[in-house]
Amino acid sequence: MNIAIVGSGYVGLVTGTCFAEIGANVTCIDIDENKIKNLKLGNIPIYEPGLEAMIKRNVEAKRLNFSTDLASVMDHIDIIFIAVGTPPDEDGSADLKYVINVAQAIGANMKNYLVVVTKSTVPVGTSIKIKNTIQEQLDKRNLSIEFDVASNPEFLKEGNAIDDFMKPDRVVIGIESERAKKILTRLYKSMHLNTFRVIFMDIASAEMTKYAANSMLATRISFMNEIANLCELVGANVSMVRKGMGSDNRIGSKFLYSGCGYGGSCFPKDVKALIKIGHLNDSEMQILNAVEAVNEQQKNILFKKFQNHFGGKVKDKKVAIWGLSFKPETDDMREAPSINLMKSLLDVGCSITVYDPIAMPECKRIMGNKVKYANNMYDAVIDANTIFHVTEWKEFRLASWEAIKRSMATDPLLIDGRNVFSKEDIAGINYIRIG
């Protein structure tokens, strides 16, 4: 089977590489010439465990190719996946200009029947716009070529994307014809020989499923953060509350961890987009508005705890930040709580040294020389008054706390934004956690 993936960002690159891994012939298309040039040289623009080796293996097997020219592959492909970005517009809605541009290019160059599949996260009704756009281009060419559109939203977790793709909980596909269903069944059945986890539905429902799923996960996070903050006020322990809640099989334990707020490329964007979709359809999404508001407040919780501990006298304090990415196993800092924290600390005159196993280059791109960069977690804490634990990288779990205490300033403090540590673990260092 011959596949083109338009958009070689996170979703497109993982999708194309995994399809090549199961034997498809894949061409990843992107208009960014530098990106394609670097991919051909083996330089991967994102960090995702296992992806670089998989790309190399499939390029060498000649199943995975990269190009800037969509027209050059239109003769022989069976399926085109649209995997371009849909960044939030100024009003929070998803910006579909890149998706529509791809649809125009498809209509201007297609020569045979195709299944055009939206992998990008798009609002309900986008597939209709794609279909109309392609048809307009065909009409301009005075051609009558059959094609189908479909929706196949991604549910990839950064840091675990390859396993999520190759061994998914489910694959959601919205279709409107048996022909498209047959082709996409053939594609995905090779990945699910024992259990066929594909759920077929109408296209509008598939488009909505992506937003609804991410918004539910974001809701659980914000709910637990509110519970954690209330626990502090009433003397309860949110970790115990979480265990009590999670043991109820109607609730389950996933995404019940309190912390310093969610970030990344999906949850913030998708919650905003679903709120906007509701607004445009006269359905105010009251719960999601609260979810977003709670999350924005929670991103400031570590700084507030820091100020409260020192009675507001924090100017010239030297602090260390452990973890910069929005979650472990990625270098993604989009909407990361660490950014809010660094900006707040700089505003009150603190000096900051940061360390992250992967995201240091990205932090340098965002923060420049406003903060100092340590070689490891121990260098970061030298002479620091306070450590902020922001991202729960595994390497922080078994730190040598005796050595850390000796390196820090007098009366040191650890503010744990992910509730990983305990007072018993940290050699008498002052300890503050969430909830």
Side-chain angles (χ1 to χ4, degrees):
M1 186 171 283
N2 298 312
I3 297 171
I5 313 284
V6 185
S8 295
Y10 185 85
V11 173
L13 201 54
V14 171
T15 299
T17 305
C18 287
F19 278 140
E21 182 76 2
I22 63 170
N25 296 311
V26 180
T27 303
C28 291
I29 309 287
D30 203 288
I31 60 172
D32 187 333
E33 293 183 1
N34 277 335
K35 180 186 288 186
I36 294 299
K37 180 180 178 181
N38 283 322
L39 283 167
K40 287 180 176 179
L41 293 172
N43 300 321
I44 312 305
I46 60 173
Y47 174 79
E48 179 62 36
L51 182 61
E52 185 173 357
M54 188 179 283
I55 289 174
K56 182 179 179 182
R57 180 165 63 249
N58 284 283
V59 167
E60 289 176 352
K62 297 184 179 180
R63 289 190 300 266
L64 181 60
N65 302 282
F66 303 100
S67 176
T68 58
D69 187 5
L70 176 60
S72 67
V73 302
M74 295 296 279
D75 282 338
H76 59 274
I77 56 172
D78 305 297
I79 308 172
I80 294 182
F81 284 87
I82 300 176
V84 294
T86 53
D89 218 331
E90 291 182 4
D91 63 357
S93 61
D95 185 346
L96 297 178
K97 64 184 177 186
Y98 303 113
V99 172
I100 298 304
N101 287 345
V102 175
Q104 289 174 337
I106 292 170
N109 293 285
M110 66 184 295
K111 300 175 182 178
N112 306 296
Y113 171 83
L114 288 173
V115 181
V116 180
V117 185
T118 308
K119 201 75 176 168
S120 304
T121 302
V122 296
V124 176
T126 300
S127 288
I128 296 173
K129 294 179 180 179
I130 291 171
K131 187 175 185 178
N132 291 340
T133 300
I134 294 172
Q135 189 60 55
E136 286 170 5
Q137 294 298 314
L138 290 174
D139 292 343
K140 287 179 182 179
R141 297 168 62 198
N142 294 316
L143 292 176
S144 179
I145 302 174
E146 290 187 19
F147 66 95
D148 276 304
V149 295
S151 173
N152 179 207
E154 56 85 16
F155 298 97
L156 306 178
K157 297 187 295 293
E158 292 189 42
N160 198 55
I162 291 175
D163 270 358
D164 285 345
F165 195 98
M166 303 298 280
K167 296 177 282 188
D169 296 327
R170 79 295 195 202
V171 175
V172 172
I173 301 179
I175 45 91
E176 60 181 11
S177 82
E178 285 299 315
R179 187 176 184 182
K181 181 178 181 180
K182 184 177 180 181
I183 291 170
L184 292 169
T185 297
R186 179 184 165 216
L187 174 64
Y188 275 107
K189 199 162 189 177
S190 60
M191 298 171 60
H192 309 282
L193 295 177
N194 297 320
T195 305
F196 191 59
R197 299 186 182 93
V198 178
I199 304 171
F200 286 104
M201 59 183 70
D202 63 276
I203 292 176
S205 296
E207 290 172 333
M208 179 59 80
T209 297
K210 168 65 174 181
Y211 282 116
N214 276 356
S215 295
M216 172 56 79
L217 297 176
T219 299
R220 286 170 70 98
I221 294 170
S222 281
F223 176 80
M224 285 309 296
N225 283 335
E226 277 214 306
I227 293 296
N229 295 337
L230 182 58
C231 282
E232 292 186 8
L233 297 174
V234 301
N237 184 327
V238 73
S239 294
M240 296 295 103
V241 174
R242 175 182 59 78
K243 290 179 181 178
M245 290 175 60
S247 62
D248 186 329
N249 59 19
R250 296 170 301 175
I251 298 172
S253 60
K254 292 182 178 179
F255 283 83
L256 288 187
Y257 290 86
S258 54
C260 48
Y262 62 75
S265 62
C266 292
F267 288 3
K269 174 176 72 70
D270 291 354
V271 169
K272 285 183 173 67
L274 192 49
I275 289 170
K276 184 63 178 179
I277 292 168
H279 179 72
L280 292 173
N281 289 277
D282 297 320
S283 178
E284 298 304 320
M285 309 297 285
Q286 297 178 52
I287 292 174
L288 291 186
N289 276 298
V291 167
E292 186 178 44
V294 168
N295 192 58
E296 289 306 307
Q297 293 173 7
Q298 199 69 13
K299 287 183 179 181
N300 297 317
I301 195 74
L302 301 184
F303 179 71
K304 289 181 179 178
K305 289 179 179 295
F306 174 64
Q307 280 194 312
N308 291 340
H309 179 81
F310 289 106
K313 298 177 181 178
V314 295
K315 186 179 180 181
D316 297 325
K317 294 288 185 185
K318 183 173 182 180
V319 305
I321 295 177
W322 281 359
L324 299 164
S325 55
F326 86 95
K327 61 178 285 188
E329 303 300 333
T330 180
D331 61 350
D332 194 344
M333 287 183 63
R334 283 174 287 185
E335 303 274 354
S338 63
I339 296 175
N340 294 57
L341 177 60
M342 286 186 283
K343 290 179 177 177
S344 295
L345 291 168
L346 290 169
D347 285 344
V348 296
C350 294
S351 62
I352 306 169
T353 303
V354 301
Y355 172 69
D356 186 287
I358 298 297
M360 301 278 269
E362 181 65 7
C363 187
K364 289 177 182 177
R365 187 186 69 80
I366 296 169
M367 301 300 296
N369 60 3
K370 295 177 183 177
V371 301
K372 297 178 181 177
Y373 301 91
N375 293 321
N376 54 60
M377 61 180 174
Y378 297 104
D379 287 350
V381 306
I382 294 172
D383 296 328
N385 305 102
T386 303
I387 301 172
F388 291 94
H389 176 234
V390 182
T391 311
E392 62 274 36
W393 287 96
K394 291 178 182 177
E395 71 178 71
F396 299 144
R397 294 181 186 177
L398 291 177
S400 175
W401 290 105
E402 290 289 350
I404 288 168
K405 186 177 180 181
R406 289 194 297 269
S407 294
M408 294 182 72
T410 304
D411 200 25
L413 170 67
L414 168 66
I415 301 178
D416 185 0
R418 299 298 176 183
N419 290 354
V420 169
F421 308 110
S422 66
K423 289 182 180 179
E424 293 74 26
D425 295 333
I426 58 173
I429 295 171
N430 293 309
Y431 180 63
I432 295 175
R433 68 201 296 273
I434 307 290

